[in-house]
Amino acid sequence: MSKSDDKMIGAVLVQGGGIAGVQASLDLANSGFKVYLLERDAAIGGMMAHLDKTFPTGDCATCIVSPKLVECARNLNVEILTLSELTGLQGKPGHFKATVRRFPRYVDEHKCTGCSECTQVCPVDIPDEFNRCLGTRKGIAKLYAQATPNIFGILKQGHAPCKVKCPAKVNVQGYVQLIKKKEYLKAVNLVRQRNPLSAICGRICTHPCESVCTRGKADDPIAIRLLKRFASDKEIEMLEAGKLALPEERTPAPGAKKVAVIGAGPAGLTAAGDLADAGFAVTLHEALSAAGGMLRWGIPEYRLPKKILDHEIELIRRKGVKFVYNSRVGRDITFQSLRDDYDAVFLSAGAQKSRKLRIEGEQINGVLHGVEFLRDAASAAKPAVKDRVVVIGGGNVAVDVARTALRLGARRVEMVCLEQRDEMPAYKEEIEATLAENITIRNGWGPKRITGNGSVTGLELKRCTRVFDEQKRFSPVFDENDLATLEADQIIVAIGQMVDEQLTGHIQAQSERGCFRTDPVTGQTSIQGLFAGGDNASGPASVIDAVAAGKRAAESIERYLTGKDLLPGRFESTVNPMPDELLPSTGKIARMDRPQPKELAPANRLKNFEEVEKGLTEEQAVAEAERCLNCALCSECNRCVETCQQHAIDHAMKERTLTLDVGAVILTPGFKEFDAKRKGEFGYGRYPNVVTSVQFERMLSAAGPFEGHVIRLSDGRKARRIAWIQCVGSRDSACSNGYCSSICCMMATKQAMVAGDHVEGLDATIFYMDIRAHGKDFDQYYERAKAQKNIHFVKSIPSRIIQVPGSNDLRVHFLDADSRLQQQDFDLIVLSVGMEPPEAMARRASSLEIRLNDFGFCHTDRLSPLSTSRPGVFVGGAFQEPKDIPETVTQASAAASMAMELLAPARNTLITKKSYPVEHDVTDEQPRLGVFVCHCGMNIGSVVDVERVVESIANQPDVVLATHTMFTCSDTSLSNIKESIREHRLNRVVVASCTPRTHEPLFRETLREAGLNPHLFEMANIRDQCSWVHSAAPQSATEKAVELVKMAIARARMLSPLEGGTLQVDQTGLVIGGGLSGMTAALALANQGFPVHLVEQTNRLGGTLHDICGTLEHPDLTQFTSALIRQVEQHPNIKLYLETEISGIKGHVGKFLLTLAKDGRQLEVSGGAIIVATGARQAKTSDFMYGRSEGVLTQIELERLLHDRAYPAKGQNIVMIQCVGSRNDQHPFCSRICCSMAVRNALAIKKQDPAANVFVLYRDIRTYGFRELYYQQAREAGVVFIRYAPEAPPEVRDDHGLLVALKSPDFPEPLRIETDTLVLSTGIEADLKNNKRISDMLKVPLNADGFYVEAHTKLRPVDFATEGVFLCGLAHSPKFIDENISQARAAAARAATVLSKTQLDVSAQVSYVNQQKCISCMTCVTVCPYSAPFCNKDGKGQIEAAKCMGCGICAAECPARAIQLHHFETDQFLVMIRQLFAGKDGELSPVGHLARGTPPSEGSGQDPELLTDDRPEENLLERV
Amino acid sequence: MRYAYFPGCSAESTARDMHQSTLAVARALGIDLVEPKGWTCCGATAGHQTDHFLAVSLPAANMAKVRDMNLDMVVSCAACFNRMKVANHEIAAHPATRKQVGEALERDYDGSVKVRHFLEVLLDDVGLKAISRAVKHSLNGLKVACYYGCLLVRPPKILKFDDPENPMSLDRLVEAIGGQSLDWPCKVECCGGGLSLSRTDVVVQLTDSILDMACRAGADCVAVSCPLCQVNLDLRQQDIRKQTGRNHQMPILYITQLVGLCLGIRRDELGFEKLMVPASTVLEKVAAN
């Protein structure tokens, strides 16, 4: 191996763009690694983006997650690959080759600006998976409103059955959708792309499409043929009304290759048109005097008016096709001359001869044949028709013949055919029309003999007993003894057609069964350059088959003439059927009638050939198009393609595979919700008012399908009585999900609380097994919910739900507290669906060589919770074990820390740092403003008159350039801005477009690239604040836009360049606390190469870990503990301080100073980041005779005895009491670990002596996640779990032996247990004194229970609000060993984002104190959440820029107005306000005279007030 | 279409109407039903509750007889159907059981006889289309609440008959003969058949709630295919009236009776006179067309 091979790759692949993937990516990218973030969906955000609110703070989930997503998208070192999946992984840790499959978005990510115009024109409405099918979305859409990346995408999985079934592959769904949107011309054009005979097929197509229409499974198939007819007729109507002109006539270019088409039937017309479109010189030779073939000569005019036929032939002629009539091969031209004169020939002469019966009497005068009869009928010389006509045959031609004969004057027409009525080959509607015209049909008879003497007198029939054999082949069997006779003057035989044998005689291509033999795919014959299609190649078939043959031949001939291969990549091979399982379900569709077109009354039909069937009315057509279910999702109608001005849409995009070189992989694919349909007893999918918990989140969400209204789906009524059913698909071995999903209890509790704000008079009931509120501060939230009068918690899982007929109310059957069967009715039921592993991982695990556990989650060990079975591949989030948001975020950071340790040598090797040109100094320049007003396509432009806005502001002072752009954020426009800055020497830029939230960074970046300070930029939001909110009032919206832009201009003139500073980072870690968490965090940093000072107040490492003998999975932890301690002690990067107290903390992120006190000596150490891991301790109790009776132990004491095999369990009665000293007024929190500990000890006792009786007295058993399995094991082992109510705790007495008395809500009688050993689960408590001391020094908060408070419970679980200080372990809250390990590593990863940098940028947008105005009140010091202000040596307030977060609270609170926030200075806002009111009431003058340029700097003495005018601000603001 | 037809004990007693109508419908549709000679109890009585071995070997004894006939076994009683299927499953899945049963029967039986409910024959072999075609009198939009009970569909993994929560077989058949099948919530609720004699009070409660739902859904009648359900729902209406005062007057018909009626079979051949709650409303409605 060469040396370069040996270098680790400093890049990490993260699979899964939920909050875990996003957090891991940010931590890695911010500490010097390149990240590929893969997401299977079209946008990142995962489940969190679906949630409405998060508890306990009631934050909007989207609002807190969006900034993270945007941060991810903006980070130069995070490459987001959406619609991507990791499918293979080769190599070893540090050197992986990852295979990534990228699914097509059909939208170019780099071109799409997110303007949403495509979605506005998209006609397709499909169920919105994001909203869990509670609403619809468009075929082209963003995954959700705030999606990152902010671009659109199209959903496609295959083509609709109608298109697949159509021989010509006409995009049926597409034109049906366009008709729905009344885009009739576009619809016809779409049809004509695959079928030039739109109006014709709209009348006479056999519509195989309708036979496979998915809608047909629910009620009736869509009337596709009639819709096509409707749109085509609209076109003709417009032509006739002069609203539309025929297309220009074209002529082929001189020298174009020549093609001859023989026969102007549907196949010939189609091929000729296509070939002319392709630029060839096409000549169409037709044997008869007019074009159309069977369309003209075979189909009677009452079905297909000649006008329609002529119209579509004319359209083809105008493409440049030359028609030569009366030109029959063999008669008027020779085949040889065709071969000589043309480069290619297409034979489409049809099957023009009638088949003969070959029975006695067929030659008698008065026996006619169908094709010839119809041809004559279509010509000027109508054939003579006798009184009594019998037609032989049961196909469409026979029907046409019969009906034509009637119209030509026959008095009685009878049909005879072999087939039974339902076997007849003619279409049902044709047969019905025939019967309606009083034509009789004799089914099941065959002709035996035609009688007559010179002229026909009748027909002898024999009974046909069977038409088809078992193989469905035509093989009639007759009963020669069952005969009948019919009288007739005329007999017309219409039993089929055949190709004229003369034609095949002239052309010596191979033939079989009388037809030309062709390649089924290409239509090529045995002769080079000769192609054949339509009836003369296939035998008699339908019009649409002929069209398809014409299309195929044209494609072949074009390829043939341009020298291309005929076979590969043909159009038809691109049409793939939608998989059946993805087709829309038809179970729940409301029946809607298919329209019946008007018809000419039978009485009026017989006198003439007037068209019988009338088309649909517009109303009918649009309503019918609405019935389409959009099987293929995207209809490929191309409206988006036409509309997109960025040309971003490409329907032909293909799936791609990439290979990425990465050093490590982190799997954060999240979870899949349990499919509630699997619990059939709850009626999900059957009863409309049963929804899942995720659907309910979407319901609550203001951005959801019901805008936050909680309704019954059955009738839209407000849902007032709502029930939650917990553990649907969790803790349920019956559906193989024995584990607990951990999050549902709190989710339901939160949902009930939030629903209370949405629903007046809410009556909520939560049916549960145990309420698992085991997280930090969760129990307090649960208690608050319980205290609500309208939220009821019922410990019972309902047996079933039925829907009360008539009302759609849901009746829940459950056992009440007294074990009595109860029924209660609700409006809405929410099923709290559990978590299952993501499907993709089940598929991919083996190729990634990742071991899964029995449930399909990632297999991990409790002592290394972030490592998969494959080295170098790490895991985080719900895929590892069901968990909530804070734990997911924690694990994500922890997994990032694992990757950092592995790849530490490769840190900073692959990251991109952007360099910018030197900033142009604008200090002494007069402002020169460039203003760019954005149309945002139609988004702004359709409401706001953008050009007027530009005109109105062009003459504002200092504006040197005012212009408008279609999409200001597109790459081209950004280049233009840069160019303009140079050309016009702009030194301020204003963009009026969308929101600064998403776009300001982009424009600031552009300024930097052009050499301008990014703070010289200002933005006006004329989309959200004008075009969106005032879309109904364009006039006012425009005026408002003008005002907003003027205000922005006014402010921009006041802007000044700001320089953020940098500060040097001391790349050393400081860890306080030497327990499991402190040691783990210290090692995680040390392994990355950072020196660490680890401070421990006791005389040994290990902390409370020494008290724990083992866990459920690892009975003995001694080895683990000692190995960990040894590693820390021996690590060269760790400097250990035992028996050392912290006596002082100073400094800020990048440079902290700890003063250590050891043995009375003081010592100072410094570092760039601090990790607080000070732990907690086992709670003490004196309840339940503890300390007074020998038989009373704590769980830890019992565990020690069991571990040391010192506990005599033999035949004993053991009682465990849970929640001793927890979940009460003194300790309102849950200690999280005690239930599992009790289960573990109980199992150990049972193992030691199965005869021992173990009773666990509990309130809720909180064995969440996979720990639930041990709870199940314990019950199976015979451990007895008895519930007690907190208001009636067990009573313990010791009179000659312990006695536990209890009144359980689950037992009718009081219980008394003679007890040998009583075990108390006393839980964990904070070390209040120590925590108080440290938190004071760090200026970080503690909660009411004495635990440290993190910066944000959900998304910053290991950060403090103070930059550079992090938190982990029991000091945060009670938790298990694996959770402590994760949290410690997470803290290390977060610290590494600081320590990995040599210097930190300090934001320029910080506050500063005007020292002259400061009155030393120190309000700023009190109000700042980040401890940035301090009292300086002059006794004045001063702000530590490194700590300032730019929130502006101090500036707002400062009573002396001594504080200003850079870039948000008072004068900058005052000019905006003045601008707004300038000239309005004559009092406030325009602001043109105001001073500009240099801003006041700290201590410069300039007073912002002096810059405006003498008037005190108060007065000014009062006016406002 | 030829099958070995196992009538079961109720076919000769409480459910003679089921038996009669099954045979009549079979005749009308060209289904040939042959009774195995010397058939015995299927074990659905006290047998399967008291002795697991008996519960398997009794049905096995009957199926072994059918094995020799080389025909599929058709059953019309849901309880018999359930016992046969479960026994087949036990024997096929557990070699030890097979051996034990073999010893008792003095012959080996491998659990391979295909056991089918008469409904399956109608739906799959005859087909709904053929039945529709054969209908002489449509049900004329009669509102039918199809009631499956428990034995036909549970345990689903063994019986593999239909969706255990929302079965549709009967409903499809009802639609095919011109009835309107109702979407109602008690298709598979327990009727209390197993407690019919021992805890009549419970049965009254259960049947009352089922019938109440059928009434609310607007049913003209309830269609069943299990003799235990039929007896329970039909017979207990009297007790319900006595105990609660509610008079449901809901006719409880075998599906075969409804199908037979539509095929134009005479009422006396279909056992209509055996119903406790007379089906006069149903008969009037069908007669109306």
Side-chain angles (χ1 to χ4, degrees), chain A residues 365-367 386-390 455-458 487-491:
Chain A
N365 197 7
V367 179
K386 303 273 177 56
D387 274 0
R388 293 173 300 177
V389 177
V390 171
S455 61
V456 171
T457 57
E487 288 182 3
D489 304 327
Q490 198 169 34
I491 287 173

Side-chain angles (χ1 to χ4, degrees), chain A residues 664-675:
Chain A
V665 172
I666 294 178
L667 300 176
T668 52
F671 66 95
K672 177 182 82 138
E673 301 134 55
F674 174 79
D675 176 8

